[in-house]
Amino acid sequence: MSQEHTLDPNNLPKDPAKSTLEGKHKFLGLWFFLGGETVLFSCFFATYLALKNSTAGGPTSQDLFGLELVFIMTILLLTSSLTSVYAIYHMKNYDFKKMQLWFGITALLGLAFLGFEIYEFYHYITDYGFTFRSSAFGSAFYTLVGFHGGHVVFGLSWLIALMVRNARRGITLKNASKFNTFSLYWHFIDVVWVFIFTVVYLMGMVS
Amino acid sequence: MSIASTQQKGFWAILWDYLTTVDHKKLGNMYIAAGAFFFVLGGIEALVIRIQLAKPENDFISAGLYNEMITMHGTTMIFFAAMPILIGFMNAIMPLQIGARDVAFPFLNSLGFWLFLFGGIMLNLSWFLGGAPDAGWTAYAPLSIQSPGHGMDFYILGLQLSGAGTLMGGINFLVTIVTMRAPGMTYMRMPLFTWTTFVASILILFAFPALTVGLFLLMFDRLFGSAFFDVALGGNSVIWQHLFWIFGHPEVYILILPAFGIFSEIIPVFSRKRLFGYTSMVFATFLIAFLGFMVWAHHMFAVGLGPTANAIFAVGTMAIAVPTGIKIFNWLATLWGGSITINSAMLWSLGFIPSFTIGGMTGVMLGATTADYQYHDTYFVIAHFHYVIVGGVVFGILAGLHYWWPKLFGKVLNEAMGKIAFWFFFIGFHLTFFIQHFLGLMGMPRRYWVFLEGQGLDTGNMISTVGAFLMGIGSLVFIINVVYTTVKGEKAGNDPWGDGRSLEWSISSPPKEYNFKQLPLVRGLDPYWIEKMEGNKKMTPAQPVNDIHMPNGSILPLIMTIGFFIASFGFIYQVDNNLWLIALFGGMAIALGSMLARSLVDDYGYHIHKEDLEKEVD
Amino acid sequence: MNRWMGKIKALILLGFVSLVLAACGKENLTALDPKGYGAEVSMDIMILSIIIMIAVFVIVMLVYTVAIIRFRRKKGQENYIPKQVEGNHKLEIVWTAIPIVLVIILAVPTIFTVFDLADDADASESISIDVTGNQYWWHFNYSNEEIQTSQDMYIPVNEKVYLNIDSADVIHSFWVPTISGKMDANPENTNTMYIEAYEEGVYWGKCAELCGPSHSLMDFKIVVVSQEEYDQWVEDMKSVDPEAEPETASAQEGKDLFEANSCIGCHAIGSSPSAVGPNLTNFANRTTLAGVEDLTYENLVDWLMNPEALKPGNKMTGNYPELSEDEASSIAEYLLGLDHSEINPESAGNE
Amino acid sequence: MTENTSMSKLNSYQNHKSKEEMKHQVITFALMIIFTLIAFYAVAVDMDKIFVIPLILILAIVQVGFQFYYFMHMKDKGHELVALLIFGGIWVAAVAILTFTTIIWW
Ligand code: HEA
Ligand code: HEA
Ligand SMILES: [Cu+2]
């Protein structure tokens, strides 16, 4: 192992995530990627908006959506954003245990969110017969929300892999940047959700 | 790991080296080689098209095959020939120009290459697996949804794979330029090719996601029964057109901007004069990129978007003439007062100016909506975009190949053959496409398998076909030149043109794997030129000789790509037989598994030691 | 090299001139000889734009040629280093401003004409025809008159006609270059545009959006006749009796076969709205067979026996029992008797 | 390096600064929750559409601004280029959504 990546306890960099060149690259790379993701999701949103009334006689958004479930999901995901902020805070203070703890909570919140989302889809399919193939609205809805869900799944796997892999290593200059990029990604997932609950669910329920 | 000796390596060792390399120069060359292969493929398809259209009501190929031919020609040329070759240049040259030892993400760079290559292979395998895609490179729904067989599915997944690779490349270049410039290389001292790489990468970053989304929708409709474009279930096919062109128009600037960058390098060098209006060139590049996102509906004037939308997009489209004009005039002003040498690289550049200007002007004519109602989907459009693409992008690629060949491969291309190739290609090019403006206006729509006898279109089409063959001869001469040079060419020094201005000319041809033994100190625009003018033969180093950190090669990118490749087949064939789901999940498992392997195993790279470096001669 | 350049220029010029001499393509197909309102408006914009472009091109080429000739490195200049000019603000402003002005000159009339051509103020009091694109033929429904026909559209001269264009399958595009620019036929909506022809005649129309293998064979015609002839045509078409007895026995046989082989299931005769295949009411008056071939007895028999040979991928192939040559001949005879109107392409003068 | 480095080794100024920052973040979070509540409430009580839709959209945009600027530190130094690119993306996104909601009407 090269000496570049270990920490010298007497000379701790202020921000371990960006103190190596590699860390800087990761940080910028992820942000730029999020710029692209912005366009990606906006295209899904745009498609959804263009097709949201094309129900082909099937269930409409008013028939389907309920406030309670979406509210719970929103709170879960928003909170998980905060907990990951806490985790990064502890990372910058080189408090590994606390970081793992808060990331652990983040993962649990994310999992709970995912559980609710699966329940929601299941509910639409079994109780309303509203599927991906029912209508253009159905396709657009499941694609938009499903892509977001897919991002959550990917984020969770990423987080769990990071936590497991580094469980015995503690914070190093190499993995600090990885945790940091993950948290940026996770916030972005939250950003997308804010628009989903507003544009898809809330606007879909306004009559 | 020693680099001191050029030890003889066996074939397998060399192959392994290329399969695992993360070196930006090798990857650049691989991009160029693969792109050239696809260019010949696309060119042969073009010749087949022209043979079919040589005379009226010809039956050289069948109607279905013709549609496959144009689709594959357009798709191959744009996605697998022009773009990869340009990305190859970006890879091989841009880090040298900013004084970097590599790109920011070498691993990702290699992944991007393999994804592109397997995307191209995927697309072309369709020829052998029941028929190629046949709905045009624009794949308009619902025709593309109804297209029988699996051709369109290969199009979708092939582009999806290579698109992911391109996106990675774009992000990689952006980060590289932001973080890895040599000491003193401020933004406003970057060579224009680096600038255009930067801006084209931004375009990639914002344009490709739109294509990704569009392809997902197509894929879901075709393979999983969704209803985005199914009118009976409320779908709307115009959505595809929007998504495609939100991507598609920026895409043409992704192609032309790097070509502009290449000309902006060549023209000053062979005029022995610094680029006129550097600042406005940079500014114009950004303006083109910015406006490029607000004009896409000019491809959809006939769709019936309504007069307001058509008028707005018409104005946006015409506006692009202004920044492009700035560029043209700056090049002319660079020539003016210079000391011009005309060799092959310069010939292609000089051929570019009138050709591209014609193409650009017909572009503005197309932008005038009312007139576009007549031009749209005729050979006038074909003429327009071949003028800008061949006269701009292909000329740019060929100019760049001649110019940078010594840097890439250490040998100077043969001048005589270079000139012969140019004249054949140049004359053939104008012969082929100039007449097509008139064919279009005389009532010949594009994508026509046959045109009827007695409609006054015979002579024009014949001329066009002849021209295409002249272009073919030109291309052949170039290929012969490459072979000849490889075998017999003379070795090139660091600065074979004598007038090199940017950093890549200050190091050996081809460069060492670490590019710069010591990072150079940049003291202004055209840093190498400055040092030469002030009597120093070489760049002042910005640091003492030190250990150089290098990334390790890896086979994982290739394995990952193969995983996705297998999964793509799974996606395509699961509609026929559920067993293919095994391929889908298996492929995904391979891909995700290698991703996991990559993130679990820390790769610390290796070091080239100071002692070894000091033994090296420059 | 200059010698070469000169030769190429001459060559290009020669090509250009010979083209202009060869007129502007086939009459009633070319967009360069407009005989309708839309085409004329487009032509005006084209001329305006080409004037601007030629001016720009001449300037660019002038500077370019002079620069290459004057500043070529000459013998003895091997070590000459020209002045390294950074730029020139005045010049740069000039070549930014002039294109802006030129673009505005082009943009303003463009905007006005775009709105002009989209104007539908007269739609309610004009003739209106529902146009439907199909793989690979066109259907015309004169909804106010209850007339259905296909492939040949009859309109009166000097009269605004509104077209409501849509598609029954994939996207097509309606284009009659000499009369007007294109309008797409989309499956999910109806686009409206108006056309107005200035001269009587038969005008070629073409499908301009890739729609499958026989895209290039999806031609149609607009037959422009005088107002009286048009009224007569409407009259004739309305009074067609689909059940009328054919004149000859073999034609009668053809009629029976036509019904027995369920041709009638797709091809209506008369004003029935059925439009799976082209409406055949005035079939024998058509300019062409299937849009592209001469309408002769032999060709028709060939078509009936093997439509795939003429139009690959068409929707008729395989949807009716195989016909023997005799059967095909009878049907052809029957169809060629369907000339229920006195108004036919010849009435339009040309061709 | 497996040992955790204890907080005490950090200088106190930096420590203080990040404490301060944490406070901001908690406030941000509280505001986000409040915004969310308002948005859901506005829909739940069935107010007029003309009023609700702009309201919830504005709330969403502000909330997302919080995420970007506070949670994702876009307000910090060294994020200028990042901000530029994100706004580039948002610009393209806005143009796309605008067209899809205006000229795809059938
Ligand atoms: C490298 C590729 C490239 C480039 C650079 C361009 C550049 C431009 N293109 Fe082109 N275009 C294509 C590739 C490209 N295009 C392709 C592939 C298609 C067809 C896709 C398909 O349907 O398959 C297409 C189609 C296309 C259309 C749609 C036509 C139709 O289908 O009906 C339009 C319409 O506006 C258009 C316009 C323009 C304009 C205004 C520019 C401008 O950027 C040009 C600007 C340049 C100049 C104007 C010349 C230099 C300027 C001066 C000397 C200054 C003075 C000039 C004036 C005042 C006019 N293009
Ligand atoms: C980068 C983009 C690019 C390039 C470089 C080209 C290059 C050429 N294209 Fe283009 N073309 C497109 C992109 C491009 N094209 C696109 C996007 C379309 C639209 C497709 C669609 O409608 O969907 C199109 C459509 C298109 C058409 C219209 C088809 C139709 O609408 O029906 C035609 C017709 O003439 C044509 C011709 C040519 C020719 C003659 C060349 C020449 O310049 C090619 C020159 C190269 C060669 C001739 C190859 C040389 C080969 C060798 C030297 C090897 C020889 C070996 C053997 C013989 C064994 N192309
Ligand atoms: Cu465009």
Side-chain angles (χ1 to χ4, degrees):
Chain A
M1 216 209 249
S2 126
Q3 71 283 11
E4 283 168 45
H5 299 283
T6 40
L7 285 168
D8 169 9
N10 299 314
N11 187 16
L12 289 170
K14 210 167 74 189
D15 186 350
K18 279 180 272 174
S19 57
T20 61
L21 189 60
E22 201 185 328
K24 275 199 199 99
H25 289 166
K26 286 221 168 91
F27 160 79
L28 272 175
L30 192 97
W31 266 106
F32 293 165
F33 174 69
L34 293 184
E37 289 259 284
T38 307
V39 180
L40 184 98
F41 273 104
S42 73
C43 291
F44 281 126
F45 272 108
T47 308
Y48 175 80
L49 286 171
L51 293 176
K52 70 175 193 288
N53 297 323
S54 304
T55 52
T60 65
S61 55
Q62 266 113 345
D63 300 340
L64 292 166
F65 301 155
L67 277 178
E68 301 78 7
L69 197 66
V70 182
F71 184 73
I72 297 171
M73 286 162 73
T74 304
I75 296 300
L76 284 174
L77 211 58
L78 283 182
T79 311
S80 82
S81 216
L82 183 73
T83 55
S84 76
V85 168
Y86 272 119
I88 293 298
Y89 170 74
H90 290 300
M91 181 192 82
K92 285 185 186 165
N93 289 338
Y94 298 94
D95 190 338
F96 181 68
K97 286 223 179 72
K98 283 200 178 137
M99 180 190 87
Q100 287 284 78
L101 177 68
W102 284 110
F103 269 138
I105 297 174
T106 307
L108 288 179
L109 289 168
L111 274 173
F113 170 87
L114 213 59
F116 277 105
E117 184 149 272
I118 291 168
Y119 166 76
E120 185 204 359
F121 285 4
Y122 178 76
H123 170 66
Y124 293 159
I125 292 167
T126 50
D127 298 355
Y128 292 90
F130 174 69
T131 71
F132 186 56
R133 302 177 184 196
S134 306
S135 61
F137 164 60
S139 305
F141 169 78
Y142 283 108
T143 304
L144 171 58
V145 181
F147 253 82
H148 175 265
H151 275 67
V152 175
V153 172
F154 183 80
L156 283 175
S157 328
W158 184 2
L159 176 59
I160 291 166
L162 273 180
M163 288 176 64
V164 172
R165 173 68 177 108
N166 293 300
R168 288 194 298 142
R169 289 183 173 182
I171 298 164
T172 67
L173 289 187
K174 186 130 186 135
N175 63 25
S177 65
K178 294 188 182 183
F179 281 112
N180 193 47
T181 40
F182 162 76
S183 88
L184 284 176
Y185 179 82
W186 192 255
H187 289 307
F188 185 77
I189 292 179
D190 207 18
V191 165
V192 174
W193 180 258
V194 169
F195 282 111
I196 289 186
F197 87 68
T198 306
V199 172
V200 176
Y201 291 100
L202 293 186
M203 273 166 64
M205 271 181 282
V206 180
S207 41
Chain B
M1 232 121 293
S2 149
I3 36 91
S5 58
T6 42
Q7 70 274 68
Q8 286 294 336
K9 283 201 230 163
F11 170 76
W12 293 109
I14 293 176
L15 183 68
W16 180 252
D17 189 32
Y18 274 91
L19 294 182
T20 59
T21 187
V22 295
D23 176 11
H24 73 98
K25 297 175 292 298
K26 280 201 186 118
L27 285 168
N29 293 347
M30 285 153 76
Y31 263 115
I32 293 173
F37 169 76
F38 285 119
F39 179 80
V40 171
L41 214 60
I44 292 172
E45 281 151 7
L47 292 180
V48 173
I49 293 173
R50 282 315 327 165
I51 295 173
Q52 167 64 20
L53 295 178
K55 61 180 174 82
E57 293 169 50
N58 199 356
D59 59 356
F60 176 66
I61 56 175
S62 72
L65 186 56
Y66 183 82
N67 287 352
E68 296 175 18
M69 218 40 99
I70 57 157
T71 306
M72 290 297 281
H73 164 69
T75 314
T76 305
M77 281 296 198
I78 300 250
F79 291 100
F80 298 106
M83 219 168 38
I85 298 179
L86 291 169
I87 291 182
F89 280 132
M90 296 178 185
N91 248 317
I93 301 297
M94 180 273 286
L96 304 181
Q97 287 196 326
I98 60 172
R101 293 209 169 106
D102 206 329
V103 288
F105 303 108
F107 182 89
L108 222 56
N109 203 9
S110 138
L111 181 59
F113 170 76
W114 292 113
L115 283 172
F116 139 69
L117 184 66
F118 279 80
I121 292 174
M122 179 106 213
L123 180 71
N124 278 285
L125 278 179
S126 64
W127 284 120
F128 309 105
L129 297 172
D134 59 357
W137 84 287
T138 52
Y140 275 17
L143 184 64
S144 54
I145 301 296
Q146 294 171 10
S147 165
H150 283 302
M152 280 315 298
D153 304 326
F154 281 100
Y155 168 96
I156 293 166
L157 284 149
L159 289 191
Q160 203 68 288
L161 281 185
S162 73
T166 308
L167 196 63
M168 285 173 199
I171 293 176
N172 201 349
F173 296 140
L174 284 174
V175 178
T176 307
I177 294 175
V178 174
T179 60
M180 296 179 74
R181 282 166 289 127
M185 177 61 84
T186 59
Y187 281 112
M188 290 316 273
R189 288 176 182 174
M190 295 194 316
L192 260 181
F193 181 67
T194 301
W195 264 120
T196 52
T197 301
F198 187 78
V199 176
S201 300
I202 296 179
L203 286 174
I204 288 176
L205 183 62
F206 294 148
F208 267 78
L211 178 69
T212 307
V213 171
L215 290 173
F216 268 124
L217 305 190
L218 264 193
M219 173 172 154
F220 291 163
D221 263 22
R222 279 188 63 94
L223 299 176
F224 300 104
S226 62
F228 291 103
F229 309 121
D230 182 345
V231 179
L233 290 177
N236 188 320
S237 64
V238 180
I239 287 175
W240 164 259
Q241 297 186 31
H242 278 296
L243 289 174
F244 186 85
W245 291 119
I246 288 177
F247 149 78
H249 190 84
E251 165 70 11
V252 307
Y253 295 127
I254 294 171
L255 294 176
I256 201 67
L257 288 180
F260 283 173
I262 295 174
F263 296 123
S264 304
E265 300 292 311
I266 295 178
I267 292 176
V269 166
F270 296 109
S271 305
R272 250 193 212 162
K273 193 160 158 278
R274 79 176 258 170
L275 184 67
F276 192 92
Y278 173 86
T279 321
S280 62
M281 285 299 237
V282 174
F283 174 71
T285 310
F286 272 96
L287 201 57
I288 292 174
F290 178 72
L291 290 173
F293 277 106
M294 291 185 291
V295 304
W296 76 84
H298 67 210
H299 297 272
M300 301 167 64
F301 282 151
V303 167
L305 302 176
T308 317
N310 277 0
I312 292 172
F313 280 103
V315 174
T317 302
M318 291 179 198
I320 297 190
V322 178
T324 319
I326 294 178
K327 285 184 165 269
I328 297 270
F329 292 116
N330 277 328
W331 286 316
L332 291 177
T334 308
L335 290 171
W336 196 272
S339 171
I340 304 172
T341 333
I342 299 185
N343 58 10
S344 309
M346 194 61 172
L347 260 185
W348 287 107
S349 311
L350 292 176
F352 149 81
I353 291 178
S355 312
F356 181 82
T357 305
I358 295 176
M361 293 187 320
T362 53
V364 176
M365 294 168 71
L366 287 166
T369 315
T370 331
D372 186 65
Y373 294 153
Q374 290 285 22
Y375 305 132
H376 177 64
D377 266 343
T378 67
Y379 267 77
F380 191 92
V381 176
I382 303 285
H384 154 66
F385 73 74
H386 284 91
Y387 259 86
V388 277
I389 290 189
V390 180
V393 183
V394 175
F395 281 22
I397 287 171
L398 284 157
L401 284 175
H402 281 275
Y403 178 61
W404 279 313
W405 199 269
K407 194 48 65 188
L408 299 177
F409 303 106
K411 290 182 174 177
V412 185
L413 282 173
N414 180 289
E415 267 303 312
M417 268 194 268
K419 286 184 177 156
I420 297 173
F422 171 79
W423 286 112
F424 269 108
F425 202 92
F426 184 78
I427 296 170
F429 160 68
H430 284 281
L431 221 49
T432 309
F433 296 115
F434 193 73
I435 197 108
Q436 289 185 356
H437 294 112
F438 297 91
L439 286 175
L441 288 169
M442 281 153 53
M444 181 156 170
R446 62 191 283 203
R447 295 167 170 173
Y448 262 31
W449 163 55
V450 289
F451 57 95
L452 301 181
E453 212 159 349
Q455 301 202 327
L457 305 170
D458 309 12
T459 326
N461 273 300
M462 191 64 209
I463 294 176
S464 189
T465 301
V466 171
F469 275 91
L470 292 186
M471 272 192 274
I473 296 175
S475 317
L476 269 180
V477 176
F478 179 79
I479 293 171
I480 295 169
N481 192 356
V482 167
V483 175
Y484 174 85
T485 305
T486 310
V487 179
K488 287 214 152 146
E490 51 181 296
K491 287 250 353 126
N494 288 6
D495 182 13
W497 310 120
D499 289 325
R501 307 176 76 89
S502 40
L503 284 179
E504 75 264 33
W505 303 111
S506 70
I507 52 176
S508 63
S509 310
K512 301 274 165 26
E513 60 181 316
Y514 47 79
N515 298 348
F516 297 89
K517 191 193 281 183
Q518 293 157 286
L519 291 186
L521 180 68
V522 175
R523 299 197 293 153
L525 181 64
D526 294 337
Y528 188 43
W529 178 262
I530 291 179
E531 302 299 337
K532 280 195 288 191
M533 285 302 112
E534 298 188 353
N536 316 327
K537 289 253 149 43
K538 49 185 204 172
M539 299 301 300
T540 323
Q543 45 162 214
V545 178
N546 254 329
D547 286 5
I548 294 176
H549 178 240
M550 300 292 291
N552 283 326
S554 169
I555 191 73
L556 282 178
L558 180 58
I559 296 180
M560 219 182 275
T561 305
I562 290 175
F564 284 123
F565 188 67
I566 294 172
S568 302
F569 278 94
F571 273 116
I572 293 176
Y573 286 108
Q574 48 82 25
V575 270
D576 302 337
N577 186 337
N578 275 338
L579 279 179
W580 280 94
L581 287 173
I582 300 172
L584 202 171
F585 291 115
M588 279 300 180
I590 297 175
L592 295 176
S594 37
M595 240 183 251
L596 199 66
R598 166 68 182 172
S599 62
L600 293 189
V601 182
D602 283 343
D603 173 15
Y604 291 101
Y606 65 96
H607 283 82
I608 301 176
H609 294 290
K610 195 172 155 182
E611 300 72 46
D612 292 329
L613 283 170
E614 275 160 354
K615 272 183 264 162
E616 292 258 317
V617 281
D618 301 284
Chain C
M1 205 222 57
N2 285 321
R3 202 159 36 84
W4 268 100
M5 272 306 229
K7 276 196 186 150
I8 289 148
K9 293 273 158 53
L11 212 84
I12 293 171
L13 209 71
L14 205 78
F16 191 82
V17 171
S18 62
L19 253 165
V20 175
L21 289 182
C24 323
K26 187 181 159 65
E27 200 191 8
N28 294 356
L29 170 62
T30 174
L32 293 170
D33 180 16
K35 289 175 187 157
Y37 184 69
E40 193 182 59
V41 171
S42 296
M43 191 70 195
D44 293 344
I45 298 284
M46 278 185 216
I47 290 173
L48 173 65
S49 59
I50 196 76
I51 290 172
I52 296 175
M53 298 312 151
I54 289 178
V56 171
F57 191 63
V58 166
I59 295 170
V60 170
M61 286 318 284
L62 221 65
V63 180
Y64 172 84
T65 320
V66 174
I68 299 184
I69 295 173
R70 240 181 84 188
F71 300 106
R72 204 57 198 276
R73 189 175 305 165
K74 309 197 176 60
K75 275 218 180 64
Q77 287 187 335
E78 280 74 20
N79 294 319
Y80 166 64
I81 306 284
K83 186 155 169 268
Q84 303 290 309
V85 192
E86 193 177 324
N88 180 327
H89 281 296
K90 269 197 208 116
L91 270 178
E92 285 171 46
I93 289 171
V94 167
W95 64 55
T96 312
I98 292 179
I100 293 181
V101 173
L102 293 177
V103 161
I104 292 173
I105 294 176
L106 181 58
V108 172
T110 301
I111 295 171
F112 277 104
T113 46
V114 165
F115 280 93
D116 176 18
L117 291 183
D119 176 30
D120 56 1
D122 306 333
S124 51
E125 61 251 33
S126 305
I127 300 172
S128 114
I129 305 172
D130 298 339
V131 176
T132 306
N134 295 270
Q135 280 169 328
Y136 303 98
W137 55 278
W138 293 88
H139 188 72
F140 307 115
N141 174 12
Y142 294 63
S143 41
N144 300 337
E145 319 281 359
E146 287 181 27
I147 297 176
Q148 310 259 353
T149 184
S150 301
Q151 299 295 41
D152 289 3
M153 175 200 275
Y154 286 76
I155 60 167
V157 70
N158 287 326
E159 190 70 37
K160 255 190 183 178
V161 177
Y162 278 80
L163 306 178
N164 307 310
I165 304 170
D166 69 1
S167 161
D169 34 53
V170 300
I171 303 173
H172 306 275
S173 194
F174 181 94
W175 187 37
V176 189
T178 317
I179 303 291
S180 175
K182 310 173 181 64
M183 185 59 100
D184 279 3
N186 298 318
E188 59 272 281
N189 80 314
T190 304
N191 280 328
T192 301
M193 80 164 176
Y194 66 85
I195 56 175
E196 182 181 343
Y198 294 153
E199 272 178 41
E200 290 185 28
V202 177
Y203 297 91
W204 281 78
K206 291 191 177 272
C207 175
E209 184 64 66
L210 180 62
C211 56
S214 283
H215 166 54
S216 57
L217 301 169
M218 202 177 144
D219 291 6
F220 60 99
K221 315 288 173 310
I222 294 191
V223 182
V224 181
V225 293
S226 68
Q227 185 68 50
E228 301 82 64
E229 287 167 322
Y230 177 72
D231 293 339
Q232 173 76 44
W233 181 76
V234 169
E235 203 52 41
D236 292 347
M237 289 296 282
K238 274 181 167 168
S239 52
V240 167
D241 173 13
E243 299 303 320
E245 291 288 309
E247 280 157 23
T248 66
S250 75
Q252 178 59 49
E253 199 179 311
K255 182 166 190 281
D256 295 342
L257 281 165
F258 191 77
E259 277 150 20
N261 285 323
S262 65
C263 309
I264 195 78
C266 298
H267 297 281
I269 295 176
S271 60
S272 147
S274 156
V276 181
N279 180 298
L280 299 177
T281 311
N282 55 348
F283 179 78
N285 294 337
R286 296 266 161 89
T287 48
T288 46
L289 166 65
V292 289
E293 254 198 322
D294 291 340
L295 182 56
T296 62
Y297 180 77
E298 290 76 29
N299 286 345
L300 182 55
V301 172
D302 288 347
W303 164 259
L304 289 173
M305 292 180 64
N306 185 8
E308 197 65 13
L310 179 57
K311 274 196 172 177
N314 76 81
K315 297 285 170 69
M316 175 155 143
T317 306
N319 282 325
Y320 59 100
E322 212 157 290
L323 297 176
S324 72
E325 181 135 18
D326 286 345
E327 289 169 323
S329 309
S330 321
I331 297 179
E333 194 157 324
Y334 164 61
L335 291 176
L336 288 173
L338 296 173
D339 54 352
H340 295 299
S341 176
E342 281 166 23
I343 307 302
N344 55 33
E346 264 127 55
S347 325
N350 303 46
E351 291 198 55
Chain D
M1 167 81 205
T2 47
E3 208 110 308
N4 294 324
T5 321
S6 73
M7 296 259 289
S8 61
K9 294 224 174 79
L10 283 170
N11 74 45
S12 65
Y13 165 72
Q14 196 182 318
N15 207 344
H16 176 73
K17 232 186 90 189
S18 38
K19 274 247 167 65
E20 188 83 336
E21 193 182 298
M22 238 13 250
K23 221 166 71 196
H24 284 301
Q25 311 237 359
V26 174
I27 295 170
T28 310
F29 178 70
L31 283 173
M32 283 163 55
I33 297 290
I34 292 170
F35 283 6
T36 309
L37 283 169
I38 297 175
F40 273 88
Y41 180 76
V43 174
V45 298
D46 224 1
M47 278 191 259
D48 194 4
K49 199 173 167 177
I50 313 291
F51 174 70
V52 175
I53 289 182
L55 174 74
I56 58 181
L57 281 177
I58 289 169
L59 288 175
I61 290 167
V62 175
Q63 214 187 111
V64 162
F66 280 150
Q67 283 269 2
F68 272 127
Y69 278 92
Y70 286 90
F71 282 11
M72 296 166 82
H73 300 280
M74 220 162 85
K75 66 177 187 350
D76 294 5
K77 264 226 283 289
H79 286 67
E80 298 78 13
L81 203 80
V82 162
L84 200 77
L85 267 125
I86 289 294
F87 281 114
I90 290 174
W91 165 247
V92 176
V95 178
I97 289 175
L98 188 70
T99 39
F100 274 64
T101 45
T102 51
I103 54 179
I104 299 181
W105 64 90
W106 44 77

